[in-house]
Amino acid sequence: METICNCFQVDRDTIVKAIKEKNLTTVGQVGEETNAGTGCGGCQPEIQKILDEING
């Protein structure tokens, strides 16, 4: 299990699942669904990378 957001202990699988289930397209939407990226913001580039991988 790869933790992406250390502030809220959100792992990669949780982010991927939210993106796929809710058709999320922005880092902000991922934050609203999972809290990832809403603390210090340091993981936002990694969240964007995951979004790009999934959404092309």
Side-chain angles (χ1 to χ4, degrees):
M1 182 165 60
E2 178 188 359
T3 301
I4 301 297
C5 177
N6 288 311
C7 293
F8 295 103
Q9 296 302 305
V10 183
D11 62 76
R12 181 182 183 88
D13 292 345
T14 300
I15 293 170
V16 168
K17 184 177 178 195
I19 293 168
K20 289 181 176 179
E21 287 182 357
K22 309 270 186 174
N23 296 314
L24 307 181
T25 58
T26 68
V27 172
Q29 289 172 333
V30 173
E32 288 173 22
E33 290 294 326
T34 67
N35 277 336
T38 63
C40 76
C43 62
Q44 288 182 358
E46 186 64 28
I47 295 169
Q48 184 61 58
K49 203 156 79 171
I50 296 168
L51 280 162
D52 293 344
E53 288 170 13
I54 292 171
N55 294 328

